Amino acid sequence: MSKHITIVGAGLVGSLLACYLSKRGHRVSVFERRSDMRVAGYVGGRSINLALSHRGWKALKKIGLDKEVEPITIPMKGRVIHDLKGNTSFFPYGTADQAIYSVSRGDLNKIMVEKADSFPQVDFHFDERCAHIDFSANRVVFENTATKQQQTLESDLIFGADGAYSQVRYQMQLTPDFNIHQQHEPYGYKELHIPPGPAGEHLIEKNALHIWPRGNFMMIALPNMDGSFTVTLFNSFSGENSFAQLNDEKSVNDFFQNFFPDAVSLMPNISKHFFENPTSSLVTIRCYPWHHKNTCLIGDAAHAIVPFYGQGMNCGFEDVNELDDLMNALGEDWNAVLDTFQKQRKPNGDAILDLALHNYIEMRDLSGREDFQLRTKIEKKIAESFPDKFMTHYSMVTFSDLSYAEAKHRGEKQNELLDELMRLNDIATIWESALVLQKAEKWINENLS
């Protein structure tokens, strides 16, 4: 039976959800507090390019969006690590045919809104802020951000897809038995820019994610279609070499010259861009329940994470895909669908949150260290030698259908093997030997059956 469904939030998850629901025959009203980006354009300056991987592609393909999105993506087959001297090392993410895909958040969002808007059952309403929800009556009050005029909409179901600072979630916090843990991380980020070369070419390796790991901070760069790179500096808000100390042109120029000398020549007017763009914060959200009466949270509204595993969007897209699977399995019993959805997805939201927090340490502190690079090579060698029994932790998260919770559990278990192998005498010279692979096979057979 067709329902009238309200989606709060026209971002990536909200627009994808609108596509899924409309294809099932439901009438969908999407409300977004921002202006229509197709008219106003996408506001940059506080962006981190997205890394689209298997889980996200799977959800897009199911709705027929993959072919429309593919032309605006660039495959990144691995990491390029930049050391202090400007030397670079390339580390593949997976097998030769595996990659994650750099994509502009704004360009992707435009395509998805256009796709959802092409369905006659979908109506978009921009510049409309969620002001209040009456959960018992399924009513949402929206306030126009310009005129301040309010309207009340009644529908059968309400989805909160309005991001980390969700107003729908805030309204749910006022209900009994709602639990939330919100944590602002002690570090933030600043968007910078590497422009294209004179012929529109990429000035550094195009098909890679670039990382400058520097211990307590790091810089990354992801390629764009126009030959540029979106660069992001992640740093602490306070302390030595922190954002607090980068307060004038000299301190900024000295900081980049000291810690990112090979990038300085690629980034004209660093200090200008540094002070033009805001220093943005990062937040993690754990909450439960996601489902209250006929309202449900989805995507970042339910499980906001830091961006260091590149899985925030992919996790949100997987939310939509699994919700669709539950609708196929449970039919029109929406209470059962939404209750099962939250129970099924909550452990995975928590798992990828933990994994993303840890991956910041890996990218910032460990990826530039020789012992960690060796450990990664050993892990990949084992995966190549026993492909039916062992996957690298990164591949489990990024290139597989394993749940995030299972990937986290198996990754922690496999660390026991890697710890054991790293303790072997002369491991740096024998890591490719038959002895190491024999020890690995024995451990796998005893622990991963």
Side-chain angles (χ1 to χ4, degrees), residues 20-50:
Y20 270 75
L21 293 173
S22 61
K23 287 204 77 169
R24 300 185 76 92
H26 300 296
R27 184 162 65 93
V28 182
S29 298
V30 186
F31 285 78
E32 169 60 50
R33 64 174 176 81
R34 297 170 298 176
S35 298
D36 188 344
M37 67 185 65
R38 295 169 297 176
V39 178
Y42 187 81
V43 179
R46 52 189 312 146
S47 175
I48 303 169
N49 268 41
L50 302 171

Side-chain angles (χ1 to χ4, degrees), residues 127-166:
D127 301 304
E128 296 286 345
R129 182 183 69 87
C130 173
H132 177 71
I133 300 178
D134 182 340
F135 294 105
S136 297
N138 298 334
R139 293 194 189 103
V140 187
V141 177
F142 293 100
E143 181 181 87
N144 186 277
T145 57
T147 66
K148 305 304 179 184
Q149 290 184 339
Q150 293 189 342
Q151 62 172 308
T152 300
L153 185 72
E154 185 173 331
S155 55
D156 299 301
L157 295 159
I158 302 163
F159 282 96
D162 49 340
Y165 296 99
S166 167

Side-chain angles (χ1 to χ4, degrees), residues 80-83 86-88 192-198 201-206 208 210-212 214 219-224 226-232 253 256-257 259-271 273:
V80 170
I81 305 297
H82 297 247
D83 70 15
N87 301 312
T88 60
L192 300 165
H193 185 68
I194 294 177
E201 75 275 20
H202 291 86
L203 295 176
I204 51 178
E205 170 57 46
K206 171 184 177 181
H210 294 260
I211 306 177
W212 289 259
R214 296 298 182 261
M219 191 167 72
I220 67 171
L222 279 75
N224 296 311
D226 65 356
S228 68
F229 285 80
T230 297
V231 180
T232 311
N253 288 332
F256 280 92
Q257 192 64 58
F259 295 107
F260 310 107
D262 64 323
V264 169
S265 62
L266 305 173
M267 301 168 66
N269 302 315
I270 289 179
S271 61
H273 290 144

Side-chain angles (χ1 to χ4, degrees), residues 1-192:
M1 180 182 296
S2 176
K3 301 286 187 184
H4 180 203
I5 301 174
T6 297
I7 298 174
V8 182
L12 299 171
V13 173
S15 54
L16 182 66
L17 180 60
C19 291
Y20 270 75
L21 293 173
S22 61
K23 287 204 77 169
R24 300 185 76 92
H26 300 296
R27 184 162 65 93
V28 182
S29 298
V30 186
F31 285 78
E32 169 60 50
R33 64 174 176 81
R34 297 170 298 176
S35 298
D36 188 344
M37 67 185 65
R38 295 169 297 176
V39 178
Y42 187 81
V43 179
R46 52 189 312 146
S47 175
I48 303 169
N49 268 41
L50 302 171
L52 186 58
S53 56
H54 171 73
R55 299 173 198 267
W57 281 118
K58 184 178 179 180
L60 292 174
K61 186 174 183 179
K62 190 175 179 182
I63 203 71
L65 264 169
D66 56 319
K67 297 302 183 185
E68 296 182 43
V69 170
E70 188 175 1
I72 66 166
T73 66
I74 298 176
M76 300 182 293
K77 294 182 175 293
R79 297 173 172 175
V80 170
I81 305 297
H82 297 247
D83 70 15
L84 265 172
K85 296 180 180 178
N87 301 312
T88 60
S89 304
F90 178 76
F91 297 90
Y93 281 130
T95 58
D97 62 339
Q98 290 177 324
I100 60 177
Y101 292 78
S102 177
V103 62
S104 159
R105 178 187 295 273
D107 291 345
L108 178 59
N109 208 164
K110 287 178 186 178
I111 285 177
M112 296 178 67
V113 168
E114 280 291 336
K115 181 69 172 181
D117 209 15
S118 70
F119 292 102
Q121 310 96 301
V122 177
D123 293 313
F124 278 88
H125 307 266
F126 294 94
D127 301 304
E128 296 286 345
R129 182 183 69 87
C130 173
H132 177 71
I133 300 178
D134 182 340
F135 294 105
S136 297
N138 298 334
R139 293 194 189 103
V140 187
V141 177
F142 293 100
E143 181 181 87
N144 186 277
T145 57
T147 66
K148 305 304 179 184
Q149 290 184 339
Q150 293 189 342
Q151 62 172 308
T152 300
L153 185 72
E154 185 173 331
S155 55
D156 299 301
L157 295 159
I158 302 163
F159 282 96
D162 49 340
Y165 296 99
S166 167
Q167 282 297 311
V168 178
R169 188 184 65 238
Y170 175 75
Q171 295 290 316
M172 291 178 73
Q173 286 177 237
L174 306 178
T175 65
D177 303 321
F178 186 87
N179 295 293
I180 182 169
H181 178 265
Q182 173 179 297
Q183 178 174 320
H184 280 91
E185 301 305 325
Y187 44 83
Y189 67 93
K190 174 88 69 173
E191 180 187 323
L192 300 165

